[in-house]
Amino acid sequence: MDNTLNEQTEARSGADRAFFIYQRLVALFLLLLMAATYPLWIDLTSFPAVPVWSFLRDVPPLADQILAGGLVLVAATLLIAGPQGKFASRLWLTLAGILLLTFLLNQHRFQPWAYQVAVLSCFFGLVPGSLARRLTMAVALSVYFFSAVSKLNASFVNELGNDFLATLSSQVGMAWRPDLWSSDKWFALVFPAFELIAFVLLSIPRTRKLGVVAACAMHIGLIVVLGPLGLSHSWGVLLWNVFFFAQAILLFWFPARIEEPSTETASPWRIRSAIAICGAVILFPLSELAGIGDPWPAWGLYASHVGRTYLFVPRHVLGSLPEEMQAYVDEQSSEDWFVPILLDRWSLQTTGAPIYPGERFAFAAARSFAVKTKTVNFARLVIESPADRFSDEREAEAFAGDQISKEAQRFWLNTEPRRAYLRGN
């Protein structure tokens, strides 16, 4: 019998009971977030599915549908049976494995919430509840810390932080939008500062309950700013903030009763594997700070400094674009001969999810758009480097669409879409 299942029938403390509820919550929110972004998991024709490696481009769409069905079935079973079910450990590991396969078939599915669920599923499946809870808390704290660090730059102050300030001020009856050159714009740093405060308070056992209050207040504020009455971000973003609100309470409000020895056991390789996964997740954001890793697995949430790729097509080809593609042409933004394609809007409207941040995936989306609309020979792409932390300056490089294949070699991972997307209607 799996040693991770040797848990007492009744939870020994409030922390145990809260963690049992938390595991059910993870399964529930996976189902809710998948429902909010369902085209991302089953539809390969409306928005390009870009696999991690090019040899996966020929995998048929049926594989994605089977994997999505498997995720729903396993998550629903865990939600109903709970963490003490007979096969819970194996089900959690199965869930993590299926999520990994879906990520490999489409980089866009590596949404931060999906990544978090995959990591937590490994903890729940590998080690007993007491250790799984500590590892989960460590990852949650790393999210707050690195999310705050990713905003401590001039780019956030000038862009999304400015939008946050303007939206929040309008919601409290103030018509205030800091000018780009005004010193007032630096008030935007109050958002990452509040995240750091929550991180510190949650990290110290004696101030943990105060940290829960701070974290919950922060997530309520984000829901207000990002919700329908604010910046109208996607339902996935809002649901994940609701999850973090509940997570703060269930993980950090109830102290563990360390005076009682645990009867839970696990084999050494399971413990080492879980700790190694936790360490890799916590340390990976350092690679993004070094300019190597991707923003989302580094918890670069609502970050503005990331690299970008823009796609432009000439006005004379707009009439030849498929009708469904014309909705993403920003023809009114300027009178230039080349007009931008709104890749982020394309992602949101067709998948319900934000576009995966960074130059590579936006490059892949731009490449897919140009190939499918047969505008490769007319298109222009602009790749911008990540912004300088203090000056907000970027290096930009422009090139013609017929150079796409050559320019794609700068990326480590694949940038070509699955063939099912190119064949789709």
Side-chain angles (χ1 to χ4, degrees), residues 122-424:
C122 291
F123 297 161
F124 301 161
L126 287 171
V127 294
S130 58
L131 178 55
R133 178 175 179 268
R134 294 196 296 273
L135 297 177
T136 301
M137 291 171 68
V139 169
L141 289 171
S142 75
V143 175
Y144 286 120
F145 178 78
F146 286 108
S147 175
V149 170
S150 73
K151 301 180 185 67
L152 296 177
N153 50 65
S155 179
F156 177 79
V157 169
N158 290 330
E159 297 181 28
L160 194 54
N162 200 317
D163 293 338
F164 280 14
L165 275 180
T167 302
L168 192 58
S169 63
S170 66
Q171 289 173 335
V172 297
M174 297 172 57
W176 180 51
R177 185 175 184 87
D179 183 83
L180 181 62
W181 306 109
S182 170
S183 59
D184 292 348
K185 68 181 182 180
W186 293 99
F187 279 111
L189 292 179
V190 72
F191 295 102
F194 205 89
E195 281 185 295
L196 285 175
I197 291 172
F199 162 75
V200 171
L201 293 175
L202 290 171
S203 300
I204 303 172
R206 294 184 64 179
T207 61
R208 197 156 276 168
K209 290 191 174 182
L210 186 58
V212 170
V213 174
C216 289
M218 180 181 69
H219 291 297
I220 290 174
L222 283 171
I223 291 170
V224 170
V225 170
L226 301 173
L229 299 179
L231 296 174
S232 297
H233 278 219
S234 67
W235 279 106
V237 170
L238 300 179
L239 283 170
W240 201 39
N241 272 285
V242 174
F243 172 78
F244 261 77
F245 178 95
Q247 174 181 263
I249 298 171
L250 293 172
L251 286 184
F252 295 98
W253 187 266
F254 304 95
R257 295 175 59 181
I258 58 175
E259 71 275 4
E260 292 187 9
S262 174
T263 61
E264 305 165 358
T265 60
S267 58
W269 75 265
R270 284 177 173 265
I271 295 175
R272 287 194 295 268
S273 297
I275 293 175
I277 292 170
C278 183
V281 170
I282 290 175
L283 293 177
F284 182 85
L286 298 178
S287 69
E288 197 273 338
L289 294 176
I292 301 173
D294 285 356
W296 271 353
W299 308 122
L301 311 174
Y302 318 115
S304 304
H305 70 282
V306 300
R308 301 163 180 172
T309 298
Y310 299 97
L311 172 65
F312 300 86
V313 296
R315 289 183 182 274
H316 76 271
V317 305
L318 297 182
S320 64
L321 294 179
E323 183 178 354
E324 67 272 13
M325 295 297 200
Q326 294 186 11
Y328 313 117
V329 177
D330 189 10
E331 193 173 358
Q332 306 301 321
S333 63
S334 73
E335 297 181 357
D336 293 341
W337 177 246
F338 282 88
V339 296
I341 303 300
L342 302 177
L343 301 175
D344 50 351
R345 179 189 293 178
W346 185 23
S347 172
L348 276 173
Q349 292 189 358
T350 55
T351 69
I355 193 168
Y356 191 85
E359 308 105 299
R360 186 189 66 254
F361 191 81
F363 179 95
R367 180 180 196 174
S368 303
F369 186 100
V371 171
K372 189 165 186 176
T373 59
K374 299 179 174 60
T375 57
V376 171
N377 292 330
F378 309 101
R380 296 290 183 272
L381 277 76
V382 176
I383 297 181
E384 288 187 348
S385 68
D388 181 88
R389 180 171 294 275
F390 301 104
S391 68
D392 195 20
E393 293 181 354
R394 301 174 184 265
E395 295 180 1
E397 183 178 354
F399 54 90
D402 57 9
Q403 298 295 309
I404 285 179
S405 296
K406 176 183 177 182
E407 296 297 332
Q409 297 175 13
R410 70 175 69 197
F411 302 111
W412 295 354
L413 302 182
N414 170 59
T415 61
E416 291 187 271
R418 300 261 294 279
R419 298 190 196 281
Y421 168 74
L422 299 177
R423 292 193 300 263

Side-chain angles (χ1 to χ4, degrees), residues 86-113:
K86 183 177 180 181
F87 301 104
S89 175
R90 295 175 185 175
L91 287 173
W92 282 119
L93 292 177
T94 301
L95 191 70
I98 297 176
L99 279 169
L100 176 60
L101 291 176
T102 66
F103 298 158
L104 294 177
L105 290 176
N106 188 358
Q107 300 171 42
H108 199 190
R109 293 176 184 146
F110 205 80
Q111 301 283 310
W113 54 265

